[in-house]
Amino acid sequence: MKNEMIAAVIGAALAIAMAAPANADQKIVTQGVSDTEIKLGSHVDLSGPITMWGVPQRNGHIMRVEEQNAKGGVHGRKITLIIEDNGYDPKKGVLATQKLIEQDKVFALVGVLGTAVFIPAMRISVDDGIPFIFPGTNARAAFEPFNPLTFAMGAPYDSQIKEGVK
């Protein structure tokens, strides 16, 4: 089931990236995918105030990628995961995002951790035509406005609270 889920998510991201733009201004880039590799990038807090979430998240990303690669990757393509430390600092997050997109040439950003860091990272990613998948937050900004290059999971925080209060 997990293999099918990861293949479906990466397949959906590929389909989104290769689909016609939602509007004429939407830039779509298809870097980071070859016949043998899919490059994914992430940045999490490895040195700041939320390392109690960042370190396990990084370890989980690494473990899952290693498991998938041991099974042949995704349709024969090895997943390469590049993880940066954002220190839960928006400025460091911007620099990490720029490095991952411009220097490392990742196909997508996955699991960027923290609301304060994800908002500028997502804007850069989308402006550069790079899919932004599963941010480590449920802030409404992860869901609205709609963009075909973004994919969040869970429900927005305010929706969770409204249902919980009922």
Side-chain angles (χ1 to χ4, degrees):
M1 180 67 170
K2 288 181 184 179
N3 294 343
E4 293 164 353
M5 174 77 92
I6 225 162
V9 168
I10 290 175
L14 284 166
I16 288 168
M18 293 177 190
N23 62 52
D25 297 333
Q26 180 68 63
K27 179 179 177 183
I28 308 271
V29 175
T30 55
Q31 67 183 28
V33 178
S34 70
D35 290 339
T36 59
E37 177 184 51
I38 299 171
K39 276 189 184 180
L40 301 176
S42 186
H43 53 86
V44 298
D45 183 5
L46 302 175
S47 63
I50 61 168
T51 57
M52 72 290 238
W53 291 316
V55 171
Q57 183 173 331
R58 177 206 55 200
N59 294 343
H61 286 334
I62 292 168
M63 181 178 67
R64 186 64 191 108
V65 166
E66 287 175 351
E67 287 174 350
Q68 192 63 38
N69 284 338
K71 295 175 182 176
V74 176
H75 300 292
R77 293 178 173 108
K78 176 186 168 198
I79 301 169
T80 299
L81 178 64
I82 304 163
I83 300 175
E84 299 290 332
D85 177 16
N86 66 31
Y88 198 60
D89 177 340
K91 291 177 186 174
K92 288 181 181 178
V94 164
L95 293 173
T97 299
Q98 290 170 331
K99 176 192 176 286
L100 290 165
I101 293 171
E102 296 168 13
Q103 182 180 329
D104 297 320
K105 303 285 187 196
V106 298
F107 165 68
L109 287 174
V110 181
V112 172
L113 178 61
T115 303
V117 176
F118 113 86
I119 291 173
M122 183 177 72
R123 288 184 183 140
I124 292 166
S125 181
V126 168
D127 286 349
D128 286 350
I130 303 296
F132 195 88
I133 305 167
F134 300 135
T137 180
N138 285 330
R140 184 148 303 271
F143 303 88
E144 296 175 356
F146 171 78
N147 188 294
L149 291 177
T150 62
F151 185 83
M153 58 185 179
Y157 293 132
D158 60 315
S159 296
Q160 292 176 32
I161 295 301
K162 286 176 188 173
E163 289 303 311
V165 169
K166 286 181 186 178

